[in-house]
Amino acid sequence: MATTDPQAGTTATTAPAEPLDPTGAPGTLPLPPKAARTLTLAGAVGTFASTMLAWTWTAEFPGDLTYYGSPVDLQTLTLAGSLLTIAFLLAGNGVRGLRWLTPGGRTAPVTLAALGTFGVAWFTAGAIAVVLGGFIHFEPGMWVAVFTSLLTVVGALGLRADEPFDPADPALRDPGPWQRFRHSLKAPAPAAARELPGWAELLTIAVTFGVGLFVFTYGIDTPYGELFIGFLILVGFGATALARAGLSQRLSKLTAKHRNITFTAAFVAAACFPFTQSSDQYTSVAANILIFATVALGLNVVVGLAGLLDLGYVAFLGVGAYAAALVSGSNTSVLGVHFPFWAAVLTGAGASLIFGVVIGAPTLRLHGDYLAIVTLGFGEIFRIGMENLDGSSGPAVTNGANGIANIPDLVIFGFNLGEDHTVLGVELGPFANYYLLMLFFTIIIVTIFRRADRSRIGRAWVAVREDETAARAMGINGFRVKLIAFALGATLAGMAGTVQAHVTSSVTPEQYQFVEVVPPNSAFLLAAVILGGMGTVSGPLIGASLLYLIPAKLQFIGDYQLLLFGLALVLLMRYRPEGLIADRRKKLEFHETGQLDVPTGGPGLSKTEA
């Protein structure tokens, strides 16, 4: 097509715009649509078949991948990824009975599922080569998995994208490979769904949490690091694929419609976890995850709702733990008293509340970085103070660096949590008992958070967080509102600390540092809130679970976990600054909405009118 430049008087020839296919924009790779679909399906079927073959000849590699017709561990993950890829591909092609899988995007979920399967297969190949010492230890099944998983990705990248290229977008006029790849992973908003009967909606919620319990149980029960890494790869890509398919948005609407049912189903599924375990090996990890998660949720009141950067929050957890330990009847406690559990909980929560008010009253008049520095100093003062209350440097209260040890197990209504008990035919160990107790406190803390968030004071917190000057102009007492948030967050942390003291059976100052190898500590708590999503209920719970579970399962990253977490946060801030679970306000704040801040026409005219 020829165009004339009126200034230069020359004629330039430009290529005609590429016609858009009704099914979407061209794929990342120049493949015909039918060939891309055939290649993707053939690769996924081949990957599925490879899991029925032996991947290595020796049982020295963890999992024993030497059997035919009996996939295990990493083979099972690869098999699941290939089935998910096939299901998304058939659903995108309109196969009856599977269309509900892709109410939104059709190509993006196929590509992401293929990448997840490829990641698991190639990671397994690399792990076998490293552990056993070379590719010579591969059996035919491993070579087939490597080749067919790559074939699946090539075919998926040739599928037409869900979203057509926008000629008005300068970044897409001459897109490179990376821009085309990122564009292929975009998916439009899901179409309006047909209204389901009430029983079907409730069944969908119940099944979703049942699947979530199965996935979490599988991940926490992984016996070796290689399998856990493969699990993370598949779950990460699989969850993103479900989101791009539009299923996550559909589920979010159902859970928003049935909030109380969702709340109940979530905690019923969590309560079933100890009954899936045959020992206390992993219930101990789960109990500590709940402690870490509930403390992070308390910090979310301070950081996520009120917008106060608190770098010494773990000190409030320590105040509650020390208060409970002093009245627990331990033979190392200087008080020599033994309160009932309910009184110990009130003591720990009350002590943290008092410390929160005492520390917050003089410091909350500061803002931003100054407030962060002061709270960081308070956290260190608490730790050093507990070390000095040893009878030598100060009064004999906490036994100094030795802490308070031999904290007795809790006895609630004659039920000793430190002993094994048989419930519904399943033997529950001590950590399972404490897990269920901590789950009860999690329900209380989540309920308090939800009620506070929707209350008048919760709206005042959000107003102060967004613009304190404007909030004060509207009649909100900024200092009082922030002090309430600080005190409530401290109280919730102290409540969790009372249970932590009995779970760990000892309390020492080293447990409450700003940065420590083993969480909870202030840095990890803040990272959990940011990673999961500030201002949400499920965000800090998920973020805390990941930050605690990954180091617990991958011991070899102990020396590098701070580096890896820092890198993860940098990538998160670049590609998903609102966190893994974000509320609507954060999505609008961190992502473009397509609305113009300033009209582009003349004065008083919009672009269309101009």
Side-chain angles (χ1 to χ4, degrees), residues 260 263 267 297 439-454 488 492 537 541:
N260 293 330
F263 182 78
F267 285 104
L297 192 58
L439 182 63
F440 172 74
F441 279 97
T442 304
I443 295 175
I444 295 176
I445 293 176
V446 168
T447 303
I448 293 174
F449 182 90
R450 292 177 64 201
R451 295 291 185 181
D453 184 23
R454 299 177 186 178
L488 178 60
L492 298 180
V537 175
L541 300 179

Side-chain angles (χ1 to χ4, degrees), residues 29-384:
L29 298 179
L31 293 176
K34 186 175 181 180
R37 289 193 295 269
T38 303
L39 189 62
T40 305
L41 181 61
V45 171
T47 305
F48 173 85
S50 72
T51 62
M52 302 298 169
L53 306 174
W55 282 13
T56 182
W57 61 272
T58 175
E60 293 182 6
F61 184 79
D64 194 2
L65 310 179
T66 61
Y67 292 96
Y68 286 82
S70 180
V72 295
D73 293 351
L74 289 163
Q75 290 174 320
T76 304
L77 294 178
T78 307
L79 182 148
S82 63
L83 289 179
L84 189 62
T85 305
I86 294 173
F88 279 134
L89 182 64
L90 296 180
N93 288 335
V95 175
R96 294 179 61 87
L98 293 176
R99 295 176 184 175
W100 60 271
L101 276 174
T102 55
R106 298 181 178 182
T107 297
V110 176
T111 305
L112 289 164
L115 287 172
T117 309
F118 169 82
V120 176
W122 280 60
F123 167 75
T124 305
I128 291 176
V130 171
V131 173
L132 299 182
F135 302 109
I136 194 173
H137 298 281
F138 286 5
E139 283 289 283
M142 187 73 263
W143 290 111
V144 173
V146 167
F147 175 73
T148 55
S149 62
L150 178 60
L151 205 65
T152 308
V153 172
V154 172
L157 291 177
L159 298 173
R160 291 193 174 272
D162 295 309
E163 281 286 313
F165 286 110
D166 183 7
D169 190 346
L172 297 177
R173 289 177 184 172
D174 186 20
W178 176 245
Q179 286 79 9
R180 295 178 70 91
F181 171 72
R182 291 190 62 187
H183 185 79
S184 68
L185 299 183
K186 292 183 178 180
R194 180 171 59 89
E195 192 74 16
L196 294 175
W199 64 267
E201 293 179 345
L202 300 182
L203 180 61
T204 301
I205 294 174
V207 170
T208 300
F209 281 103
V211 173
L213 173 63
F214 172 79
V215 172
F216 177 78
T217 302
Y218 185 92
I220 202 172
D221 287 347
T222 49
Y224 53 94
E226 290 84 355
L227 180 58
F228 183 71
I229 294 177
F231 168 80
L232 289 180
I233 294 173
L234 183 61
V235 169
F237 280 99
T240 310
L242 293 175
R244 292 293 187 270
L247 292 177
S248 298
Q249 293 90 326
R250 291 277 175 88
L251 181 62
S252 297
K253 292 181 180 179
L254 288 181
T255 55
K257 182 179 179 181
H258 305 281
R259 291 184 183 274
N260 293 330
I261 298 297
T262 301
F263 182 78
T264 303
F267 285 104
V268 167
C272 291
F273 171 75
F275 297 93
T276 65
Q277 305 297 303
S278 57
S279 68
D280 256 2
Q281 180 179 1
Y282 297 116
T283 51
S284 61
V285 177
N288 284 286
I289 286 176
L290 277 183
I291 294 173
F292 189 18
T294 52
V295 178
L297 192 58
L299 178 61
N300 197 25
V301 174
V302 180
V303 176
L305 295 183
L308 306 174
L309 184 55
D310 188 348
L311 298 182
Y313 185 76
V314 75
F316 297 120
L317 175 70
V319 171
Y322 265 101
L326 287 171
V327 298
S328 65
S330 169
N331 54 15
T332 59
S333 171
V334 297
L335 298 184
V337 296
H338 190 181
F339 285 5
F341 176 63
W342 63 268
V345 171
L346 294 179
T347 301
S352 296
L353 171 63
I354 294 173
F355 270 82
V357 173
V358 170
I359 298 301
T363 61
L364 288 179
R365 301 186 186 278
L366 301 174
H367 301 275
D369 298 339
Y370 300 101
L371 176 62
I373 293 172
V374 170
T375 55
L376 175 60
F378 163 67
E380 289 301 299
I381 289 172
F382 168 77
R383 181 181 61 83
I384 296 173

Side-chain angles (χ1 to χ4, degrees), residues 532-579:
M534 294 187 295
T536 63
V537 175
S538 56
L541 300 179
I542 294 176
S545 300
L546 290 175
L547 290 183
Y548 191 96
L549 185 60
I550 291 176
K553 300 296 292 186
L554 303 178
Q555 299 294 337
F556 63 88
I557 72 169
D559 295 335
Y560 306 98
Q561 62 177 333
L562 293 179
L563 173 64
L564 295 178
F565 286 157
L567 179 61
L569 288 177
V570 170
L571 295 176
L572 186 74
M573 292 298 101
R574 171 60 181 85
Y575 295 104
R576 195 172 177 83
E578 71 273 21

Side-chain angles (χ1 to χ4, degrees), residues 599-606 609-610:
T600 57
L605 297 177
S606 66
E609 295 170 336

